[in-house]
Amino acid sequence: MSTENEGTAVPPAPSAPPVPVDAPAASTPQASEAGAPTTPIPPVPPHASGGAQGPELVHAGPARAYASAEGGAQQGASGAPQHPGPGPEGAWPPPQAPGTPLYADGGAGGAGGAWGSGYQQPAPKPKSGRGGLVAAVLVAALVAGGVGGGLGYTLAKDNDNGSSTTLSASDSGGSVKRDAGTVAGVAQTALPSTVTIEAESTSGEGGTGTGFVFDTQGHIVTNNHVVADAVDGGKLTATFPNGKKYDAEVVGHAQGYDVAVIKLKNAPSDLKPLTLGNSDQVAVGDSTIAIGAPFGLSNTVTTGIISAKDRPVASSDGSGSNASYMSALQTDASINPGNSGGPLLDAQGNVIGINSAIQSTSGGGLGGTSQSGSIGLGFAIPINQAKYVAQQLIKTGKPVYAKIGASVSLEDSTGGAKITTEGAGGSDPVEAGGPAAKAGLKPGDVITKLDDHVIDSGPTLIGEIWTHKPGDKVKITYERGGQTHTVDLTLGARTGDS
């Protein structure tokens, strides 16, 4: 499989992004802890019956599809649409739903036809007419030369002051220094700290993605779906723009967050970590710069803007059993398969996100391949979230998820996140003694807001919860019996993906 998940079907994203009611990722990208249900992450929502299917989201990592688009058709490795049935509510890991966005993984393009078309040399014209044409051209040239010479002499004579001056063209085109605030300046500084990652499973399958230097000890941050093939005994390498390649190993990976950390073996001593920005301060319209290896073309730089914030995105690895959720930064910077795991930078060169998925049309891939390409809708995990996840993975090798301790429906809707009447595997839908129970939430309650963010579905709620850390206090707005209630809730913790 390729490192960027563009091409793999991702679970459907919520119908509409959350927006502030009164007026939209840590470490680019689940299961309950043994004995303690997490937010039991519900299965990725199936398509609403009778709904028209729209474009699908694709992961920007190895050449696969990951993030799902609302109503998008799910694709398998062959590119053919697949429509797995819905899984039980509250199940974890949640099953993949059709229409899930694809990861932006990098894959080799298909062979195309030859460039250009055949050329037939025209028959020569009669020789008799050629002499006159040449003569006419020569006469015109002589006339032009005479005019030019006369003008040149007159100008020189009028400006002659008794001294002779020789004019020569400058041999310099000006300064080639790239200012720090320019795209070229940012790229010049950031590129040496990015790597192209190649992951290969024990069976020889694999793909290409991107990562960036996180610290001087050799840790590289990327997407989980970029390195998934190499997790169980596979091969992993990271290549810098200067051509130096290093073997690497997976330190930890968080499937739910779609974040992973790898470490270079025999890492060089001159590593320069990229500066991390503050994704909470990013505004719509801010300039963005994406670095990655789209379709295997390493060290590619593209630009755009932040086109939306807090965009709910549900994604899957295409197996139908794993899902990840994010409240993403949306950008129109060109992101394609192979960009997954690469940094999304602001105008000053600070990392504000990890490129993870793209929305793609479902009509096939670029150049006749099964992979889809950028249509100007890319999604990145906010760096504030990714940083927290990466630090946990480096510290313990396992991800830690915030949870409310209740199972919610993953059906695609706009009415909110409904607490189910039955939990995963027949467990209680509201964990006894958990955060939701302590806050007074009950099965059947519909959560409509988390703090100031509108919640329109279960995946949106999960994505918003995971932007927080265990122990954070949030305000939950919910409906019960036609009445609206608000309650404070302290998030709990769940360790590990299973």
Side-chain angles (χ1 to χ4, degrees), residues 196-261:
T196 298
I197 298 173
E198 294 182 21
E200 184 178 313
S201 68
T202 53
S203 62
E205 297 180 346
T208 303
T210 308
F212 62 91
V213 177
F214 188 69
D215 60 26
T216 58
Q217 285 70 52
H219 290 109
I220 305 292
V221 172
T222 184
N223 281 140
N224 171 72
H225 71 264
V226 169
V227 302
D229 282 333
V231 169
D232 297 320
K235 182 180 179 180
L236 197 62
T237 62
T239 305
F240 285 86
N242 61 8
K244 293 184 178 180
K245 178 182 288 189
Y246 297 86
D247 289 332
E249 59 184 355
V250 178
V251 172
H253 59 104
Q255 197 281 322
Y257 289 124
D258 194 23
V259 173
V261 175

Side-chain angles (χ1 to χ4, degrees), residues 471-493:
D472 284 353
K473 293 183 179 180
V474 297
K475 187 179 296 294
I476 299 291
T477 300
Y478 65 97
E479 295 180 355
R480 177 191 299 171
Q483 295 185 336
T484 300
H485 306 271
T486 301
V487 66
D488 292 328
L489 180 150
T490 300
L491 298 172

Side-chain angles (χ1 to χ4, degrees), residues 117-393:
S117 58
Y119 173 76
Q120 182 175 357
Q121 184 168 347
K125 294 184 178 181
K127 189 173 182 179
S128 59
R130 188 166 180 170
L133 175 62
V134 172
V137 171
L138 290 176
V139 170
L142 290 174
V143 172
V147 173
L151 290 175
Y153 172 76
T154 300
L155 293 174
K157 182 176 184 299
D158 292 343
N159 290 280
D160 185 19
N161 57 6
S163 61
S164 176
T165 303
T166 301
L167 300 177
S168 61
S170 171
D171 60 359
S172 172
S175 173
V176 293
K177 179 181 179 181
R178 270 69 178 179
D179 293 334
T182 64
V183 173
V186 170
Q188 193 172 56
T189 300
L191 274 170
S193 296
T194 62
V195 297
T196 298
I197 298 173
E198 294 182 21
E200 184 178 313
S201 68
T202 53
S203 62
E205 297 180 346
T208 303
T210 308
F212 62 91
V213 177
F214 188 69
D215 60 26
T216 58
Q217 285 70 52
H219 290 109
I220 305 292
V221 172
T222 184
N223 281 140
N224 171 72
H225 71 264
V226 169
V227 302
D229 282 333
V231 169
D232 297 320
K235 182 180 179 180
L236 197 62
T237 62
T239 305
F240 285 86
N242 61 8
K244 293 184 178 180
K245 178 182 288 189
Y246 297 86
D247 289 332
E249 59 184 355
V250 178
V251 172
H253 59 104
Q255 197 281 322
Y257 289 124
D258 194 23
V259 173
V261 175
I262 66 175
K263 187 174 184 180
L264 305 178
K265 296 180 180 179
N266 301 314
S269 59
D270 59 349
L271 290 176
K272 295 182 179 179
L274 290 182
T275 303
L276 304 185
N278 185 344
S279 52
D280 290 341
Q281 295 180 350
V282 170
V284 173
D286 281 351
S287 297
T288 58
I289 301 170
I291 298 179
F295 296 100
L297 301 175
S298 301
N299 316 318
T300 295
V301 177
T302 56
T303 63
I305 63 169
I306 292 293
S307 52
K309 292 181 61 178
D310 303 319
R311 184 70 76 191
V313 174
S315 60
S316 165
D317 63 358
S319 69
S321 61
N322 297 317
S324 56
Y325 303 87
M326 68 177 105
S327 183
L329 295 176
Q330 180 180 302
T331 180
D332 65 349
S334 183
I335 296 174
N336 288 287
N339 275 106
S340 283
L344 182 67
L345 310 170
D346 62 17
Q348 289 70 47
N350 303 310
V351 181
I352 55 175
I354 300 177
N355 300 319
S356 180
I358 63 173
Q359 175 130 18
S360 175
T361 57
S362 56
L366 300 174
T369 69
S370 62
Q371 291 188 358
S372 301
S374 172
I375 59 172
L377 290 172
F379 304 97
I381 302 167
I383 194 59
N384 288 9
Q385 177 182 356
K387 176 183 177 181
Y388 165 73
V389 177
Q391 290 172 336
Q392 292 297 319
L393 293 177

Side-chain angles (χ1 to χ4, degrees), residues 32-61:
S32 297
E33 213 174 318
T38 28
T39 309
I41 299 180
V44 178
H47 283 299
S49 59
Q53 293 186 354
E56 64 183 348
L57 290 178
V58 189
H59 277 295

